């Protein structure tokens, strides 16, 4: 699933261990004790990945705000919007599986593997979907607080296809994708922010896949 990340690509999916051991252009990885620290060229890349523990060691994405990005002013929101529509966006997703026993007991699904998803925010279709989604979910910034999930599950599933499987106990399993979003939190200091108080400010939009 890995390819050269040039200005014309739509998205890519890279296994976390492969990403850390052989980082793509723009990234460097340093070993620090029992951790691997990932750095990148910030003017070209947006990373929304929390510190996490892989199967081998802790992985820290240096200067990443994590999966939840907080903006407090119109200027910060405008800058974030510009980044989302001009840079390559990286998030970490989980490939999981669910057995009938786990469904019955309502357990958390076990993780089969972690994957870094790269999304080209400057691609015309992605940029259009980002701009449209933000316009629909954040109609007015000043004076109101919002929580917006940007979900890439549809694009991810379309990209990997139905044939993508993980090997579990010598058996191939079709994964269930989890953690396929990042969240924008706009926090206004308005005194009468009624939609936020009553839980009406939570929004979501999805990024779709439009073919290779």
């Amino acid at each position: 699933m890995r390819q050269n990340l040039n200005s014309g690509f739509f998205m890519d999916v890279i296994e976390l261990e492969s990403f850390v051991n052989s980082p793509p252009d723009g990234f460097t990885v340093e070993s620090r004790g029992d951790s691997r620290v990932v750095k990148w060229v910030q003017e070209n890349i947006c990373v929304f990945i929390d510190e996490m523990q892989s199967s081998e060691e802790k992985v820290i994405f240096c200067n990443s705000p994590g999966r939840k990005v907080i903006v407090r002013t119109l200027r910060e929101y405008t800058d974030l919007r510009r980044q989302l529509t001009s840079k390559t966006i990286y998030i970490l997703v989980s490939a999981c599986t669910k057995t009938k026993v786990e469904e019955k007991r309502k357990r958390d699904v076990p993780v089969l593997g972690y994957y870094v998803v790269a999304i080209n925010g400057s691609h015309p279709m992605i940029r259009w979907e980002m701009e449209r989604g933000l316009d629909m979910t954040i109609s007015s910034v000043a004076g109101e607080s919002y929580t917006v999930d940007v979900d890439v599950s549809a694009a991810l599933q379309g990209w990997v296809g139905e044939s993508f499987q993980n090997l579990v106990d010598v058996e191939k399993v079709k994964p269930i994708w989890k953690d396929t979003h990042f969240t924008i939190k706009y926090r206004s200091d308005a005194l009468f922010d009624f939609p936020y108080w009553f839980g009406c400010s939570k929004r979501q939009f999805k990024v779709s896949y439009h073919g290779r």
Side-chain angles (χ1 to χ4, degrees):
M1 287 183 289
R2 189 167 188 165
Q3 63 178 39
N4 292 325
L5 303 187
N6 54 53
S7 59
F9 90 98
F10 186 86
M11 68 181 298
D12 197 17
V13 182
I14 309 168
E15 191 174 13
L16 177 62
E17 297 299 334
S18 176
F19 184 98
V20 172
N21 292 327
S22 181
D25 291 345
F27 286 89
T28 58
V29 178
E30 301 176 0
S31 293
R32 295 184 184 175
D34 61 349
S35 301
R36 302 289 291 276
V37 179
V38 183
K39 299 181 179 180
W40 59 91
V41 182
Q42 296 190 29
E43 61 264 27
N44 300 320
I45 293 169
C46 254
V47 178
F48 302 127
I49 301 177
D50 291 302
E51 177 182 309
M52 59 87 60
Q53 182 71 42
S54 74
S55 59
E56 298 181 1
E57 58 203 342
K58 183 183 294 184
V59 181
I60 302 170
F61 287 81
C62 189
N63 296 322
S64 168
R67 189 180 298 274
K68 297 180 180 179
V69 188
I70 299 176
V71 291
R72 295 181 174 83
T73 66
L74 178 58
R75 182 174 181 177
E76 289 180 357
Y77 167 74
T78 302
D79 181 62
L80 177 61
R81 183 184 176 110
R82 178 191 58 77
Q83 294 183 54
L84 295 178
T85 55
S86 64
K87 298 185 178 185
T88 303
I89 304 162
Y90 290 82
I91 66 171
L92 187 72
V93 303
S94 307
C96 304
T97 184
K98 181 184 289 187
T99 66
K100 291 182 179 180
V101 173
E102 287 155 351
E103 287 183 355
K104 185 175 181 180
R105 295 180 180 178
K106 296 182 179 180
R107 292 179 177 176
D108 291 336
V109 293
V111 176
L112 303 176
Y114 295 99
Y115 294 82
V116 177
V117 177
I119 307 154
N120 183 5
S122 66
H123 187 284
M125 291 305 301
I126 296 180
R127 184 174 66 246
W128 179 77
E129 290 202 354
M130 284 285 185
E131 291 174 343
R132 184 186 65 165
L134 291 171
D135 288 342
M136 291 173 59
T137 55
I138 305 182
S139 57
S140 171
V141 177
E144 296 179 67
S145 296
Y146 291 89
T147 300
V148 179
D149 287 339
V150 182
D151 189 349
V152 303
S153 57
L156 173 60
Q157 186 58 55
W159 177 261
V160 301
E162 295 298 322
S163 61
F164 179 80
Q165 296 178 324
N166 290 89
L167 192 62
V168 181
D169 296 330
V170 198
E171 181 181 355
K172 291 184 177 180
V173 176
K174 180 181 177 182
I176 300 170
W177 296 104
K178 299 289 185 180
D179 307 317
T180 57
H181 69 276
F182 63 94
T183 302
I184 302 170
K185 292 188 173 184
Y186 181 83
R187 290 293 174 259
S188 169
D189 57 0
L191 182 60
F192 300 105
D193 196 353
F194 295 112
Y196 179 71
W197 292 352
F198 291 104
C200 301
S201 60
K202 296 180 180 180
R203 305 283 189 271
Q204 181 190 75
F205 69 88
K206 294 187 176 185
V207 177
S208 304
Y209 174 68
H210 300 279
R212 296 180 187 271

